[in-house]
Amino acid sequence: MIIDFISIKKGILLTGIFSISTFAFAQIGINTATPHSTLDIEGSIEANRVAGIQAPRLTLAALTAKISSLYGANQIGALIYITNVSGGDRTGQRVNISSPGYYYFDGSFWQNLGIPEPKVLPGDIKYSVVETDHDGWYLMNGRTVASLPANLRPIAQKLGFTNNLPDTRDRFLKTKTGTEAVGVIGGTNTFTIAEANLPNLNLSGSFSGISASGGASHAHTFSGTSASGGSAHNHTFSGTSASGGAAHTHTLSSIASGNGGAAHTHPFSGTSSNTGNHTHTYLAPPRATTKDRGPLVSKVSVDVPTNNQIDAAGAHTHTFSATSSNNAHTHTYSGNAASTSHTHAYDGTSTSTAHNHTFSTTSESSGAHNHTLSGNANFSLGGSGTALSNRSAYLVVNAYVYLGQ
């Protein structure tokens, strides 16, 4: 079939010169006698004729008014031209129609014939400043799947959202690791620095002050060993031990061995003194025979010995000096020294080589008192443990997931 010119409008057919082929499977050529395809249109070179081909022209509002079920597998490849997108909506099959132009149907969506827009599939996520659900996009705010339109619930569940859509409010999106599940919520908006996160340094300074006991008696318990430093030293002491105000006795019992068991002597020297008259008594022997008697003396017995006394003229002393010697021997003593209350006074110095003094005791105070202190110490940084913000600089938007219509 060769058509020179055809114009079909309102049922009126105007024809020029034409001929119809009798072949059942003919190719159609316009302005050409040798068509090379099912429809081959040769452009007119006449100056007063418009060349070109136009697809059906529709506005987005007109396409929206059509039932979506009109377009299916049998309409794959259908071509239209959208002249205006100010009306209608961009949902379902029309989600990619964003500007005037040629669009073809791919079996599911109208695709831009010029610069195709990315194909949108269920599960795709986008950020937007739009506040509400739109064009098959649903705000991820933790809503229940049961609150979605009935035809979209299986799609959400197929994506893994069994009970709720993810709540992305105040959260950044991240790609999952190999062990994470899609939709898992993690992380925190704040974090607190622990002591181990601080630099390894000390802040030093001086302090001086008085620590008070709080007004109550208290005790300090101490225990330890003081070393002499490895050199000999002396301890000087002076004082009096009191008997505690009561009479007491000292019991002693021992044996003093003399001079290491060897013979020794005790030298002594002294004077016996007398403060008054005294007499010396002596024994006068008897006379043996009468011829020996001589003149009678009244104080002398002729037959038996007689004790006589010699009167002394007055007080006098006797001086003596001697040494007593003996082999080794001991002196035994035993007894009690009794006394009323008394004290023992002592004063002296004890010497020693290097040694330690071990002590353990408690010092008690009879009332409130203060301790004065001065020295160096480490000081706290003075922090309060306030949590730090974990947010970067941000722009607030909404996150949506595409579920379709």
Side-chain angles (χ1 to χ4, degrees), residues 177-192:
T177 66
T179 59
E180 289 177 323
V182 173
V184 170
I185 300 296
T188 178
N189 292 328
T190 61
F191 64 88
T192 303

Side-chain angles (χ1 to χ4, degrees), residues 81-367:
Y81 184 87
I82 298 298
T83 59
N84 188 295
V85 294
S86 61
D89 60 54
R90 297 177 59 214
T91 61
Q93 297 173 344
R94 301 174 298 279
V95 67
N96 296 323
I97 302 177
S98 59
S99 61
Y102 282 101
Y103 289 86
Y104 70 93
F105 189 68
D106 67 358
S108 298
F109 300 94
W110 289 101
Q111 302 291 354
N112 192 306
L113 186 62
I115 303 176
E117 293 187 358
K119 188 175 182 179
V120 179
L121 297 175
D124 288 351
I125 291 176
K126 74 171 184 177
Y127 287 112
S128 175
V129 295
V130 178
E131 294 289 339
T132 58
D133 302 336
H134 58 280
D135 303 331
W137 295 93
Y138 288 84
L139 183 64
M140 291 190 291
N141 58 359
R143 67 177 70 183
T144 63
V145 173
S147 67
L148 297 172
N151 63 314
L152 301 181
R153 295 171 194 170
I155 298 176
Q157 293 172 347
K158 185 177 181 180
L159 294 173
F161 308 138
T162 305
N163 298 315
N164 298 81
L165 294 186
D167 189 352
T168 61
R169 290 174 294 183
D170 201 20
R171 294 186 179 276
F172 294 101
L173 305 187
K174 67 174 285 290
T175 303
K176 77 180 188 69
T177 66
T179 59
E180 289 177 323
V182 173
V184 170
I185 300 296
T188 178
N189 292 328
T190 61
F191 64 88
T192 303
I193 294 178
E195 183 179 357
N197 302 125
L198 297 176
N200 184 19
L201 56 84
N202 290 323
L203 302 180
S204 60
S206 300
F207 64 90
S208 178
I210 296 176
S211 65
S213 67
S217 299
H218 63 281
H220 304 271
T221 302
F222 55 92
S223 177
T225 300
S226 65
S228 67
S231 59
H233 60 282
N234 298 328
H235 303 273
T236 301
F237 56 91
S238 178
T240 300
S241 65
S243 68
H248 63 280
T249 61
H250 301 273
T251 302
L252 54 129
S253 176
S254 182
I255 297 177
S257 61
N259 204 27
H264 62 282
T265 60
H266 300 273
F268 57 92
S269 176
T271 302
S272 65
S273 61
N274 197 310
T275 58
N277 295 332
H278 62 283
T279 61
H280 299 273
T281 302
Y282 64 93
L283 181 62
R287 297 180 181 182
T289 61
T290 303
K291 65 177 181 179
D292 293 329
R293 297 177 178 174
L296 290 175
V297 180
S298 60
K299 294 182 179 180
V300 178
S301 174
V302 177
D303 299 316
V304 295
T306 305
N307 289 320
N308 295 320
Q309 293 181 343
I310 299 175
D311 294 332
H316 62 279
T317 62
H318 301 271
T319 300
F320 55 91
S321 177
T323 299
S324 65
S325 61
N326 198 354
N327 293 327
H329 61 281
T330 60
H331 303 271
T332 302
Y333 57 92
S334 179
N336 293 330
S339 172
T340 58
S341 298
H342 62 282
T343 60
H344 304 273
Y346 54 91
D347 193 344
T349 300
S350 66
T351 63
S352 172
T353 58
H355 62 281
N356 296 329
H357 304 272
T358 301
F359 55 91
S360 178
T361 186
T362 300
S363 65
E364 297 184 355
S365 71
S366 59

Side-chain angles (χ1 to χ4, degrees), residues 22-72:
T22 60
F23 290 98
F25 301 100
Q27 292 178 318
I28 299 174
I30 298 178
N31 295 331
T32 178
T34 58
H36 298 289
S37 60
T38 303
L39 176 63
D40 187 357
I41 302 175
E42 183 77 25
S44 175
I45 61 174
E46 296 182 15
N48 61 347
R49 288 191 177 184
V50 177
I53 186 172
Q54 288 180 286
R57 296 178 294 279
L58 294 170
T59 64
L60 179 59
L63 184 60
T64 302
K66 292 180 178 296
I67 302 172
S68 296
S69 61
L70 290 175
Y71 295 92

